[in-house]
Amino acid sequence: QLQPVESGGGLVQPGGSLTVSCAGSGFLLDFYAIGWFRQAPGKEREGVACISGADDSTSYADSVKGRFTISRDNAKHTVYLQMNSLKPEDTGVYYCARDLQYYRGCGLSTAYFGSWGRGTQVTVSS
């Protein structure tokens, strides 16, 4: 498996919740920082959240802090993004990606990441 696989996207009303998943092999995901990014049509790709490959510490964009939670399940080799209190501006294609280096903390810049998934669409609308 050369790419992580995102799933769980869909249509949700404002104020609702949704969880998206990023799955891969242990070789692909374990002990690497994982980032979630999103991109709306005509907009730049932006970092949303990431989880460290060294100690599982996390970072969040200011726009989602307090609403989104990133976590990992090592047994399932899966990273989750729990999204609560969703807003229309959260709409976009959500991508996960693996850090280019092994066993380090994370940041929200795309420059640090490779092995991108194909994305899953999240639409927040009435």
Side-chain angles (χ1 to χ4, degrees):
Q1 190 173 4
L2 301 179
Q3 295 175 296
V5 178
E6 301 95 337
S7 63
L11 176 65
V12 62
Q13 292 184 326
S17 298
L18 197 66
T19 298
V20 290
S21 301
C22 174
S25 69
F27 178 82
L28 183 66
L29 298 182
D30 289 357
F31 301 107
Y32 285 87
I34 302 295
W36 279 101
F37 301 80
R38 67 189 181 192
Q39 188 167 23
K43 301 294 183 65
E44 295 181 353
R45 184 171 50 191
E46 63 175 346
V48 176
C50 63
I51 185 164
S52 171
D55 59 7
D56 285 345
S57 61
T58 58
S59 295
Y60 298 92
D62 289 341
S63 60
V64 307
K65 193 172 298 181
R67 299 189 297 121
F68 290 12
T69 302
I70 187 171
S71 62
R72 69 165 80 228
D73 185 331
N74 291 325
K76 296 182 178 180
H77 309 300
T78 301
V79 175
Y80 303 96
L81 184 68
Q82 173 69 49
M83 301 180 288
N84 299 321
S85 302
L86 283 162
K87 305 174 181 180
E89 52 262 45
D90 295 317
T91 294
V93 178
Y94 280 68
Y95 302 91
C96 69
R98 191 186 74 175
D99 194 354
L100 291 166
Q101 294 188 19
Y102 177 79
Y103 201 73
R104 67 175 178 177
C106 71
L108 295 176
S109 171
T110 59
Y112 295 99
F113 292 88
S115 299
W116 294 82
R118 299 183 187 275
T120 185
Q121 176 71 43
V122 174
T123 303
V124 185
S125 176
S126 299

